[in-house]
Amino acid sequence: MAFTYETSMSPCPSCTWFTAIAIDSANEFIYAYDVKNNPFPQPDIGTVFKINTTTFSTVAELEIGAKDCHEDAAVVDTVNGYVYFGTLSGSTGYIEKVRLSDFSHTGTLTVGSGYIPVCLVLDTTGGYLYSASGNIPEKKVFKVSLSSFSIDSSISLSAIPNHGAGIKIGDYLFFGCDIAGSNNGLISKVSISSFTEVDTLTITNGSMIEGLAYDGTYLYAAYYSLSSYVSYVAKIDLSTFAVIATLTLSSPFDYAQTCFICGNYLYVGSQNCVFYQIRLSDFSIVTYIDKSSEYTWHQSSAFDSINKKAYFHAQNDYNYDYPGYILKFSIDCASSYPPADPIDDNPDTLPDPGGDPQEITFRWETYKAIRSERD
């Protein structure tokens, strides 16, 4: 299947600050956070929109409160049935908890003043949600218990976490970070078992690391330089924790923002709404789709490896004067991985089917769909 653009939709035509999306592939819903504009003096209201991926239309909306959602701070927990969003009001950061079964707002966790959740990473096996929050001089990761929805502990990183740039791989968390006052970026490696930062990798001339993805062997970091304003992808050997190859994506003044892997391909979205398909086998650009003449300011993405679709957030104006959109693409998720056997409900014990194991529920029907795709 080729990488092709299909269509777009706006969850809320009266909204202007649409920032984060997350997907429940098995049940065919996208959850999008937007800010609904109300006539003065009423406050603008942060709202979650539930979107059916088959009809590609909004089926419900849920008001959260007078809070923004930081770019790409959203994650779906399909195992326990919740979606989480990182929000802020003024300088105080929060995490919002929404139950999927009845689409209700079940809790708000205060992260703290100055600590804005910019990235959420889920570990359902361990029972925790990790919130990376940027604050100078401290750069924190908060460990949140899923069962009690409370902060268990926190640690400081060596640099400032960037939005959406976090991933769980085995017993480790990796966060893309910005080194303040430098044109270099940093990837922080955190041990889950000890909850300590155990290593760091400096990405030269990569001040803004905005996306991380894993193919089962290598870690990929999508980033851009604040000196040349060119975007790149770094291929990282986890056994040595070193960059082994770098791919240049764009001409100046476009910024890599999100990335994910489906099958044998890496997909990268840029701020100016240019979307790349990269073949992993030879680490080369296969093609790209340029939507910059119609949309701007891409910040968040989600994908469905079962139905082979990708969804990219976009604005229609740099100043947020127009509603946010979700752009829908067909993607190639061909995979060389063998079928998973035996059947197991724990995603951490299964071979990677070409998607993020944190975003896929390995129930029987989902397993059959993935196996059929491979066979």
Side-chain angles (χ1 to χ4, degrees):
M1 179 184 295
F3 178 39
T4 56
Y5 170 75
E6 291 190 9
T7 187
S8 69
M9 62 88 68
S10 178
C12 176
S14 65
C15 299
T16 61
W17 190 256
F18 169 45
T19 51
I21 60 176
I23 192 166
D24 176 4
S25 300
N27 293 304
E28 301 183 340
F29 290 108
I30 294 170
Y31 296 89
Y33 196 102
D34 207 337
V35 176
K36 188 184 297 181
N37 293 327
N38 288 321
F40 184 82
Q42 299 178 59
D44 295 341
I45 300 298
T47 305
V48 179
F49 295 87
K50 183 177 181 180
I51 300 155
N52 183 289
T53 58
T54 301
T55 62
F56 206 37
S57 61
T58 300
V59 296
E61 59 182 71
L62 176 66
E63 292 188 350
I64 299 298
K67 300 173 184 175
D68 294 328
C69 178
H70 205 279
E71 301 157 351
D72 211 18
V75 65
V76 171
D77 176 1
T78 55
V79 175
N80 298 299
Y82 292 93
V83 59
Y84 297 89
F85 293 94
T87 64
L88 66 148
S89 178
S91 62
T92 301
Y94 305 89
I95 299 174
E96 312 296 338
K97 183 177 182 179
V98 174
R99 186 165 52 223
L100 302 183
S101 59
D102 60 358
F103 196 44
S104 62
H105 185 203
T106 61
T108 297
L109 175 64
T110 301
V111 179
S113 178
Y115 292 106
I116 300 171
V118 297
C119 177
L120 301 178
V121 180
L122 190 64
D123 176 16
T124 54
T125 303
Y128 290 96
L129 175 70
Y130 295 89
S131 171
S133 302
N135 184 30
I136 300 174
E138 293 189 83
K139 291 77 64 174
K140 293 281 193 179
V141 175
F142 293 86
K143 183 178 181 179
V144 178
S145 168
L146 293 176
S147 58
S148 64
F149 196 42
S150 61
I151 295 174
D152 178 273
S153 55
S154 66
I155 60 171
S156 294
L157 301 183
S158 297
I160 306 166
N162 282 327
H163 68 80
I167 192 170
K168 175 184 177 289
I169 302 173
D171 188 41
Y172 295 95
L173 304 168
F174 296 85
F175 296 98
C177 302
D178 171 22
I179 302 174
S182 168
N183 192 45
N184 296 330
L186 180 144
I187 297 177
S188 171
K189 180 179 180 180
V190 174
S191 167
I192 292 176
S193 57
S194 64
F195 196 40
T196 56
E197 185 181 61
V198 295
D199 206 351
T200 61
L201 171 63
T202 299
I203 305 296
T204 303
N205 201 35
S207 49
M208 301 300 291
I209 301 171
E210 300 283 3
L212 298 176
Y214 178 59
D215 70 355
T217 303
Y218 298 104
L219 176 67
Y220 298 85
Y223 65 95
Y224 63 91
S225 166
L226 284 176
S227 61
S228 62
Y229 298 100
V230 173
S231 292
Y232 307 90
V233 176
K235 182 177 181 179
I236 298 161
D237 186 335
L238 290 179
S239 63
T240 59
F241 204 35
V243 176
I244 59 173
T246 302
L247 180 66
T248 302
L249 291 186
S250 66
S251 58
F253 303 104
D254 197 10
Y255 318 117
Q257 293 293 314
T258 65
C259 67
F260 61 84
I261 288 172
C262 199
N264 294 325
Y265 298 95
L266 172 70
Y267 295 88
V268 178
S270 77
Q271 188 178 87
N272 289 346
C273 294
V274 181
F275 305 100
Y276 297 84
Q277 182 188 47
I278 298 166
R279 187 167 42 242
L280 296 177
S281 59
D282 60 0
F283 198 38
S284 65
I285 297 172
V286 178
T287 189
Y288 65 89
I289 298 174
D290 187 347
K291 303 297 289 183
S292 61
S293 63
E294 302 168 68
Y295 303 98
T296 58
W297 212 265
H298 162 66
Q299 297 285 358
S300 182
S301 66
F303 73 101
D304 176 358
S305 65
I306 302 169
N307 297 300
K308 303 173 186 173
K309 304 295 180 184
Y311 302 91
F312 295 95
H313 143 274
Q315 297 291 148
N316 200 247
D317 182 87
Y318 279 112
N319 296 317
Y320 308 101
D321 293 333
Y322 298 95
Y325 290 84
I326 298 175
L327 313 185
K328 183 178 182 179
F329 293 76
S330 293
I331 56 176
D332 192 337
C333 288
S335 176
S336 58
Y337 289 101
D341 192 29
I343 299 169
D344 194 320
D345 284 332
N346 181 0
D348 287 338
T349 67
L350 288 174
D352 181 4
D356 184 346
Q358 298 177 56
E359 295 185 1
I360 301 173
T361 303
F362 283 91
R363 294 179 293 194
W364 172 234
E365 289 301 324
T366 305
Y367 171 84
K368 286 197 299 182
I370 294 171
R371 180 160 187 162
S372 174
E373 174 186 316
R374 293 171 174 167
D375 297 345

